[in-house]
Amino acid sequence: SAMTNFGVEPFLEAFLQFSAAPGAHESSIGEIPPDYAEFTGFVFKLQANMDPRHRDCLAFVRICSGQFEKDMTVTNARTGKKVRLTRPQKVFARERESMDEAFPGDVVGLNNPGAFAIGDTIYTGQKLIYSPIPSFSPELFARLRNPNTSLAKKFQKGIAQLEEEGAVQILHPQKGGGSQEPILAAVGELQFEVAQYRLKTEYGVETRLETLPYTSARWVNAGWDALLKGENLYETAVFQDRWQRPVLLFRSQWHLERVEERRSELKLSSVGN
């Protein structure tokens, strides 16, 4: 049917009739229905280099309420800055189409020169924040090395882009803590392969992975002050995520349970919010 284009449009029209309508979303000021008067949206994905010729970066925004209009000005709840939404696009595979308006349930692609991060809420009217996308505890860890120092700038740029997109979690050593090479943290080997492939194809940087003997990670919800006040942590590595939050890496379940028992004030969490 698809090859002959017979019956495809009626099928899609029928599919839309059965699909779920846009629903309400929980926010910092309560539940926001799709017919809420003000515009609100949620950034759920970033993607760079979709067009290799331009090195662009798109932020994908789900419209949660109100009406989106081209060139409208919104506020980013995370930064508090006003942002003008120019050149909105509808993206389907490699095809792009300009759009002038969108409604709850639609997804809009916006050019992102560093204005947005995954989990951002944008809005007009009263400030509100939608629940962020959590960072789940990884189980695989590896140090990423750049053997060619002449490509250091490209390496850092690629790492920053992968981190911004959330393609893989990247942990950074504390300042002055020895090696400053980034640590890749993943839930599957494929994430490592994707990160290395993209660094090679998009930035021209060959990298090497050094597997690390850690089995789990925990965020310290009590913060740096609580972490640094107490006793040293046995066989535990301390890193920070992209938001400078402390993250502990453990070599075994026994080491994790030992710290949870002796340092309960740290309020360890397997999810970074």
Side-chain angles (χ1 to χ4, degrees):
S1 294
M3 291 177 64
T4 60
N5 198 25
F6 178 79
V8 176
E9 185 172 350
F11 167 77
L12 294 176
E13 292 290 345
F15 181 81
L16 289 176
Q17 297 300 317
F18 286 102
S19 60
H25 299 267
E26 286 294 333
S27 77
S28 58
I29 63 171
E31 190 176 80
I32 304 298
D35 58 358
Y36 180 68
E38 298 289 350
F39 166 83
T40 65
F42 184 78
V43 180
F44 66 91
K45 178 181 179 181
L46 301 181
Q47 182 67 52
N49 306 323
M50 294 180 66
D51 185 346
R53 297 171 297 178
H54 299 291
R55 292 289 185 186
D56 61 343
C57 181
L58 284 185
F60 290 88
V61 179
R62 170 78 65 181
I63 309 303
C64 299
S65 70
Q67 180 178 346
F68 170 89
E69 295 179 347
K70 181 181 179 181
D71 292 327
M72 71 186 302
T73 299
V74 301
T75 302
N76 185 329
R78 175 176 57 86
T79 64
K81 295 181 178 180
K82 299 287 186 181
V83 184
R84 186 182 177 195
L85 306 182
T86 60
R87 299 174 61 192
Q89 302 174 56
K90 181 188 298 183
V91 181
F92 184 77
R94 292 185 177 274
E95 298 179 6
R96 303 191 190 189
E97 179 183 339
S98 297
M99 55 194 310
D100 295 322
E101 60 181 8
F103 302 91
D106 290 341
V107 173
V108 178
L110 301 172
N111 286 321
N112 180 38
F116 303 113
I118 293 177
D120 279 355
T121 298
I122 57 177
Y123 66 91
T124 60
Q126 181 183 0
K127 179 179 180 179
L128 61 85
I129 301 175
Y130 289 118
S131 299
I133 298 175
S135 299
F136 294 101
S137 180
E139 298 178 353
L140 300 173
F141 305 88
R143 180 173 282 108
L144 188 65
R145 298 187 183 278
N146 169 30
N148 190 342
T149 55
S150 65
L151 299 177
K153 288 187 177 180
K154 288 187 175 182
F155 175 73
Q156 293 300 331
K157 183 178 180 180
I159 286 295
Q161 186 58 56
L162 292 175
E163 183 175 36
E164 189 176 72
E165 292 179 20
V168 64
Q169 292 188 58
I170 298 178
L171 304 178
H172 303 274
Q174 297 173 265
K175 290 184 179 180
S179 173
Q180 295 301 302
E181 292 170 317
I183 303 298
L184 300 190
V187 294
E189 291 281 355
L190 182 59
Q191 285 181 273
F192 293 154
E193 295 176 16
V194 168
Q196 288 188 286
Y197 176 80
R198 291 192 58 189
L199 286 170
K200 179 180 179 180
T201 58
E202 296 175 22
Y203 298 93
V205 180
E206 291 273 6
T207 56
R208 297 174 184 169
L209 277 181
E210 177 189 333
T211 303
L212 298 176
Y214 303 113
T215 61
S216 58
R218 291 295 184 271
W219 279 261
V220 181
N221 286 338
W224 285 105
D225 289 342
L227 178 62
L228 299 176
K229 282 180 182 177
E231 64 180 85
N232 292 333
L233 302 175
Y234 177 71
E235 289 291 328
T236 302
V238 180
F239 291 88
Q240 60 184 8
D241 64 10
R242 64 174 303 202
W243 308 112
Q244 287 79 54
R245 300 175 299 190
V247 183
L248 305 182
L249 302 188
F250 299 94
R251 293 176 178 269
S252 70
Q253 183 66 25
W254 181 86
H255 291 97
L256 168 59
E257 292 174 354
R258 187 170 185 266
V259 172
E260 286 180 324
E261 179 182 346
R262 302 186 64 171
R263 298 291 304 277
S264 59
E265 78 279 5
L266 297 182
K267 300 178 181 178
L268 301 185
S269 172
S270 61
V271 178
N273 291 312

